[in-house]
Amino acid sequence: MRKTKVICFANNKGGSGKSTTCSNVGYGLTQLGNKVLLIDGDMQLNLSLSLFDEDQVLAFAQGDRNLYEGIKKQDDLTGYIVHSPYEGLDLIPSSTLMSSIEYELFTKWQREFILRKCLSKIRESGEYDYILIDAPPTLGGWVMNILCASDEVIIPVESTPWGLFGLGNMFEFLEEVKQITPDLRLGGIVITKVDTRKNYFKQTLESLKQLDNVKVFDTYIRVDSGIEWSQDNNVPIMAYKKSSRSAAEYMELAKEIADEK
Ligand SMILES: Nc1ncnc2c1ncn2[C@@H]1O[C@H](COP(=O)(O)OP(=O)(O)O)[C@@H](O)[C@H]1O
Ligand SMILES: [Mg+2]
């Protein structure tokens, strides 16, 4: 029986590396001997596409066993889990219908806690060491659900001026969420898509380190075309090209996250 830790990857800025980080940290954690469940919370289906090809992902999305259907019916999500081609790595796939999830939630009793309730059996079963949830680039009732279902939130931030600017909104939202789920912890910020040739990265690091009570992970993820190729092939970077720089970086990040458990 394992103690399951639920971590979500959230930031309302799109393109900050949430889905890439969720999938590759998930795979990295399995390489450290953990059993991991990934949950695709975004209608863009990117997390699902990181493990399965387009035909398969669309079949999940159009079927009746995806996250949207489970939340709509307020079902125990155990029956929605699919095994990925990788040992110890499972997925609850998403659907493009997630675009109307806010509407579905609107009239529900205790609507912020529906995902938490739907996950409770999986959590209590002790089947997984980690459940990692990929959030969409929004800050509404659905992301509130994702945060209320999590023990910890990790914020991937792109090393750009607008990437940093967007963080303010995220922190304000987290303060609101903490009023209804006080135990939610900020696991930390991970800087993504770094181009070390640019001085802007050093400035990003300096500004982030000045934030009070906010951990910045030592590992940052550099820009690497291997990431795009691995995603084009629907394979996590470590399985696609273990010798690549980003494979090593995501492995380091997975270790940092595992050390905190
Ligand atoms: N380290 C990286 N190097 C190169 N491209 C990356 C890297 N990380 C992410 N990307 C690319 O950046 C885009 C946005 O990343 P993604 O993980 O989808 O962000 P989000 O989920 O926050 O919207 C994707 O096209 C992805 O392929
Ligand atoms: Mg995404």
Side-chain angles (χ1 to χ4, degrees):
M1 172 106 177
R2 306 155 202 250
K3 175 145 178 37
T4 308
K5 184 169 186 179
V6 184
I7 304 175
C8 70
F9 293 81
N11 184 345
N12 63 315
K13 175 103 173 58
S16 59
K18 292 179 285 298
S19 307
T20 304
T21 302
C22 184
S23 123
N24 288 305
V25 163
Y27 185 89
L29 287 169
T30 67
Q31 300 306 292
L32 298 170
N34 296 290
K35 188 155 185 205
V36 178
L37 172 64
L38 300 180
I39 300 184
D40 189 349
D42 188 6
M43 63 162 288
Q44 297 178 71
L45 317 176
N46 294 162
L47 188 69
S48 308
L49 285 166
S50 72
L51 303 176
F52 292 97
D53 68 26
E54 206 174 305
D55 290 344
Q56 182 64 72
V57 169
L58 290 176
F60 292 143
Q62 286 151 12
D64 61 357
R65 296 267 124 185
N66 56 58
L67 187 61
Y68 173 78
E69 296 294 330
I71 294 296
K72 191 173 152 185
K73 295 177 195 137
Q74 302 200 46
D75 250 355
D76 162 21
L77 291 175
T78 309
Y80 292 72
I81 297 172
V82 294
H83 298 305
S84 84
Y86 312 101
E87 202 186 327
L89 190 62
D90 292 345
L91 171 77
I92 297 181
S94 190
S95 162
T96 47
L97 292 172
M98 287 299 285
S99 57
S100 56
I101 195 77
E102 298 279 346
Y103 173 79
E104 293 296 338
L105 293 170
F106 191 67
T107 52
K108 303 254 160 68
W109 164 247
Q110 290 205 316
R111 59 177 181 256
E112 289 87 4
F113 295 99
I114 292 171
L115 176 60
R116 189 180 186 95
K117 277 187 266 170
C118 295
L119 280 176
S120 62
K121 288 246 166 60
I122 300 178
R123 233 186 136 133
E124 284 157 18
S125 74
E127 180 73 23
Y128 294 98
D129 297 286
Y130 291 93
I131 298 177
L132 305 185
I133 313 175
D134 185 27
T138 53
L139 292 180
W142 173 236
V143 174
M144 190 86 96
N145 256 267
I146 292 178
L147 291 163
C148 288
S150 303
D151 299 308
E152 202 172 287
V153 51
I154 291 179
I155 309 179
V157 173
E158 200 181 342
S159 173
T160 61
W162 291 349
L164 285 183
F165 176 75
L167 256 189
N169 299 330
M170 189 63 208
F171 285 140
E172 272 174 33
F173 188 70
L174 285 180
E175 285 310 310
E176 270 178 55
V177 178
K178 277 192 178 165
Q179 290 177 21
I180 54 171
T181 180
D183 294 339
L184 176 71
R185 281 189 352 102
L186 173 57
I189 290 179
V190 53
I191 312 176
T192 62
K193 296 161 83 173
V194 170
D195 184 343
T196 40
R197 292 167 307 177
K198 291 184 187 162
N199 275 331
Y200 196 78
F201 167 63
K202 293 180 194 116
Q203 196 175 314
T204 307
L205 205 53
E206 288 310 312
S207 344
L208 289 175
K209 289 213 158 142
Q210 278 166 18
L211 295 170
D212 287 336
N213 303 319
V214 177
K215 177 190 161 76
V216 180
F217 285 99
D218 291 333
T219 312
Y220 53 84
I221 312 296
R222 285 176 283 179
V223 171
D224 180 4
S225 59
I227 291 280
E228 280 154 349
W229 287 115
S230 72
Q231 291 171 348
D232 190 47
N233 286 277
N234 314 96
V235 174
I237 186 67
M238 277 162 249
Y240 181 73
K241 196 171 176 197
K242 202 173 176 183
S243 63
S244 67
R245 192 169 71 185
S246 46
E249 289 167 349
Y250 270 118
M251 198 61 227
E252 276 310 302
L253 182 60
K255 282 184 195 155
E256 261 196 78
I257 291 170
D259 283 349
E260 282 189 359
K261 197 179 179 195

